[in-house]
């Protein structure tokens, strides 16, 4: 038997949750003024090397990468930001004025060791905003994530940090490198990260490394005036909008493109893979990918990570179930159903059945109305109706009843 690949799951039992999370998040993003973007799942590998970065686990170890039939090195996208930034530049939006705000949803691929909450194919809903320097945009993006989780009734902890900018970070990097060079017990990954992007060491999960980094110089001490002021303003706006947060001085995120604001929403209820959303500013990425310098910020949430945190709203009965008692009426009910379907969710039963069997079917399908035509109804031009939400039965004229929906 051929089964799905390790770390990849069919969305069947969880389909209602998947759909509910997507619909809620997308509706919220639209209310916040974001528009759909749908970029390809397959991209040139170089895109992620130049954006997510060589020091990240994603690029270093986890990409689904192969050479296509034309000899091009391509990979399944491990995340959404790089592709959206590429599309933004390709469409020359970096040369136009104004702010562009996009949302996207879809599968991402990372060859990680699968465990609870960690899949090799998982889904994100993400948003990216291009062209806005104001720290109010940082706050607006965080408030959007907050609104989505509030609407889904998901409780979380929000951690924020500032990763500085090109003015203050080089000095910090030097100090951190000097500190790292004095350490003898760094893990093999950190020995590499130290050379490529020393700041990414702070994110290491290795216990020995984490102990070492307790004494590392904190980024906060090196922020320039503008970064300090912006980070202060962000905290002020969040507080005024009743968003609880903590300043995690070691939060650096697992991707290389971030500067200034970085944040993560974390759940205490789902075990070790506790980040349910993450994001931040990436003001240098568009330029690094060959576009004009463009301010940018975004986040993505992990759809599967929040399955266990949500309860579906009470499933209301919906739609019409229509069936016949005798074979002669099947053709008719099929035509009524095709008319009803233009306005209302409709289930049609192709086999003649007794009334009791139709009622059972309609109940199993969670239909609101069970409509049945027997010989009597056929002759008199009526239809037998039971409203399954309140038990009321009646026998209206067929045409009147159809008219009510159409
Ligand atoms: P990320 O932190 O790598 O950021 O992923 C965002 C979210 O995707 C995580 O918080 C987590 O909920 C979910 N996630 C990540 N890996 C897995 C996995 N293996 N299995 C299940 N869920 C997972 C990004 O991807 C950035 N592109 C976010 C961003 C957008 N930054 C700026 N704009």
């Amino acid at each position: 038997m051929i089964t799905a690949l390790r770390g990849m799951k069919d969305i069947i039992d969880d389909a209602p949750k998947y759909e509910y999370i997507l619909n809620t998040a997308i509706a919220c993003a639209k209310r916040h003024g974001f528009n759909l973007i749908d970029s390809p799942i397959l991209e040139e590998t170089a895109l992620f090397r130049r954006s997510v970065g060589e020091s990240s686990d994603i690029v270093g170890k986890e990409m689904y990468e192969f050479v296509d039939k034309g000899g091009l090195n391509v990979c399944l996208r491990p995340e959404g930001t790089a592709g959206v930034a590429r599309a933004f530049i390709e469409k020359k939006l970096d040369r136009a004025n104004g702010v562009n705000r996009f949302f996207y949803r879809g599968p991402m691929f990372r060859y990680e060791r699968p465990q609870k909450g960690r899949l090799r194919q998982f889904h994100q809903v993400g948003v990216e905003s291009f062209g806005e320097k104001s720290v109010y945009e940082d706050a607006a993006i965080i408030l959007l994530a907050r609104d989505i989780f509030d609407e889904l009734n998901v409780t979380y902890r929000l951690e924020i940090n500032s990763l500085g900018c090109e003015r203050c970070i080089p000095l910090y990097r030097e100090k951190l490198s000097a500190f790292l060079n004095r350490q003898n017990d760094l893990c093999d990954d950190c020995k590499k990260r130290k050379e490529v992007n020393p700041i990414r060491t702070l994110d290491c999960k290795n216990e020995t490394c984490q102990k070492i980094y307790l004494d590392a110089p904190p980024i906060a001490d090196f922020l320039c005036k503008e970064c300090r002021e912006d980070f202060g303003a962000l905290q002020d706006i969040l507080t005024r909008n009743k968003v609880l947060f903590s300043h995690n001085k070691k939060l650096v995120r697992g991707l290389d493109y971030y500067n200034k604001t970085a944040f993560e929403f974390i759940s205490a209820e789902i075990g070790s893979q506790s980040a349910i959303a993450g994001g931040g500013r990436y003001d240098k990425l568009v330029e690094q990918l060959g576009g004009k310098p463009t301010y940018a910020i975004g986040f993505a949430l992990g759809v599967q990570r929040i399955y266990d945190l949500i309860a579906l709203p009470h499933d209301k009965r919906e739609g019409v179930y229509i069936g016949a008692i005798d074979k002669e009426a099947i053709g008719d009910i099929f035509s009524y159903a095709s008319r009803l379907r233009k306005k209302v969710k409709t289930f049609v039963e192709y086999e003649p059945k007794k009334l009791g069997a139709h009622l059972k079917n309609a109940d199993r399908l969670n239909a609101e109305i069970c409509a049945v035509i027997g010989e009597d109804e056929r002759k008199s031009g009526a239809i037998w109706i039971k409203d399954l939400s309140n038990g009321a039965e009646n026998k209206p004229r067929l045409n009147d009843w159809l008219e009510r929906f159409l």
Side-chain angles (χ1 to χ4, degrees):
M1 187 178 68
I2 298 174
T3 57
L5 295 175
R6 195 160 169 249
M8 305 208 169
K9 288 210 168 125
D10 303 304
I11 299 171
I12 299 179
D13 294 343
D14 289 318
K17 282 193 173 175
Y18 172 82
E19 224 185 344
Y20 175 59
I21 295 167
L22 249 59
N23 289 345
T24 307
I26 289 171
C28 214
K30 285 184 175 169
R31 285 202 303 277
H32 282 246
F34 287 74
N35 301 312
L36 174 68
I37 183 166
D38 205 359
S39 65
I41 289 167
L42 202 59
E43 296 269 6
E44 245 185 88
T45 305
L47 172 66
F48 301 105
R49 291 200 184 283
R50 277 165 62 183
S51 54
V52 177
E54 300 284 350
S55 78
S56 69
D57 283 353
I58 298 178
V59 167
K61 306 179 188 165
E62 298 169 357
M63 287 208 291
Y64 277 88
E65 196 180 339
F66 61 97
V67 177
D68 75 5
K69 292 188 201 304
L72 193 64
N73 200 317
V74 295
C75 82
L76 295 176
R77 64 180 180 196
E79 60 102 50
T81 310
V84 173
R86 183 215 30 80
F88 172 81
I89 299 165
E90 203 170 323
K91 190 95 185 101
K92 299 192 172 45
L93 294 170
D94 53 331
R95 289 159 204 218
N97 290 328
V99 180
N100 284 276
R101 297 189 178 90
F102 299 110
F103 74 84
Y104 53 90
R105 76 278 176 272
M108 308 293 159
F109 303 82
R110 298 183 190 175
Y111 197 84
E112 298 193 79
R113 197 171 46 77
Q115 62 176 87
K116 187 169 164 28
R118 189 159 74 193
L119 294 163
R120 288 182 174 170
Q121 176 178 328
F122 59 97
H123 292 74
Q124 287 185 346
V125 178
V127 304
E128 313 293 352
S129 159
F130 295 96
E132 183 54 83
K133 179 174 196 267
S134 166
V135 70
Y136 275 97
E137 190 70 1
D138 306 39
I141 289 277
I142 292 176
L143 288 171
L144 166 55
R146 188 271 313 258
D147 286 354
I148 294 172
F149 289 131
D150 281 359
E151 212 170 313
L152 290 168
N153 239 328
V154 166
T155 47
Y156 52 80
R157 194 174 81 236
L158 168 63
E159 293 185 351
I160 62 172
N161 196 15
S162 174
L163 302 179
C165 66
E166 80 243 359
R167 279 190 301 279
C168 45
I169 269 319
L171 177 62
Y172 175 67
R173 203 174 280 142
E174 244 174 60
K175 294 280 179 209
L176 183 64
S177 288
F179 168 84
L180 293 169
N181 285 332
R182 291 197 298 274
Q183 310 305 322
N184 299 318
D185 298 325
L186 298 182
C187 73
D188 288 346
D189 281 341
C190 280
K191 282 183 192 150
K192 277 187 231 146
R193 290 179 188 133
K194 186 177 83 158
E195 305 305 327
V196 191
N197 183 0
I199 293 168
R200 289 269 308 112
T201 56
L202 300 178
D203 192 36
C204 182
K205 302 287 177 288
N206 179 298
E207 268 181 37
T208 314
C209 290
Q210 276 182 4
K211 272 194 200 125
I212 295 174
Y213 301 144
L214 288 176
D215 297 324
I219 304 179
D221 293 356
F222 291 81
L223 294 182
C224 63
K225 187 164 173 282
E226 186 189 297
C227 286
R228 261 199 330 269
E229 282 175 4
D230 278 349
F231 193 49
L234 174 64
Q235 298 182 55
D236 188 43
I237 304 167
L238 293 178
T239 306
R240 273 192 281 150
N241 284 276
K242 302 193 172 42
V243 181
L244 291 178
F245 61 88
S246 59
H247 178 187
N248 175 353
K249 297 182 178 171
K250 296 241 151 43
L251 175 72
V252 295
R253 307 273 301 124
L255 307 93
D256 280 357
Y257 46 60
Y258 293 111
N259 68 324
K260 289 190 138 182
T261 304
F263 59 91
E264 265 175 16
F265 285 77
I266 292 160
S267 164
E269 295 164 49
I270 50 172
S272 65
Q273 297 307 307
S274 56
I276 51 176
R281 247 188 200 279
Y282 51 95
D283 296 329
K284 291 279 135 196
L285 180 62
V286 171
E287 197 177 348
Q288 263 168 32
L289 294 176
K292 279 178 74 175
T294 305
Y295 297 105
I297 178 164
F299 78 87
L301 66 81
V303 176
Q304 281 80 10
R305 290 261 168 103
I306 49 184
Y307 279 175
D308 291 347
L309 300 174
I310 62 158
L312 286 174
H314 184 61
D315 210 4
K316 260 182 49 195
R317 288 193 174 279
E318 190 197 347
V320 174
Y321 169 98
I322 184 161
I325 308 267
D326 50 0
K327 215 169 165 36
E328 291 67 42
I330 303 284
D332 293 340
I333 61 161
F334 188 82
S335 322
Y336 306 146
S338 84
R339 284 168 65 191
L340 286 169
R341 277 182 178 141
K342 295 191 198 302
K343 296 283 179 193
V344 60
K345 180 172 175 179
T346 305
F347 308 95
V348 57
E349 171 56 55
Y350 303 148
E351 292 294 323
K353 287 192 189 325
K354 294 210 169 91
L355 187 60
H358 282 309
L359 282 165
K360 236 191 224 162
N361 272 355
D363 185 45
R364 193 173 47 80
L365 292 165
N366 212 23
E368 188 181 3
I369 290 177
C370 179
V372 180
I373 297 191
E375 203 184 339
D376 285 356
E377 287 81 15
R378 217 158 21 91
K379 283 185 181 146
S380 62
I383 187 162
W384 182 86
I385 303 294
K386 179 162 183 170
D387 185 332
L388 297 178
S389 58
N390 60 20
E393 295 175 19
N394 63 353
K395 214 189 246 192
R397 293 201 53 74
L398 176 66
N399 283 337
D400 296 347
W401 180 74
L402 284 173
E403 267 316 301
R404 237 182 283 157
F405 293 97
L406 310 174

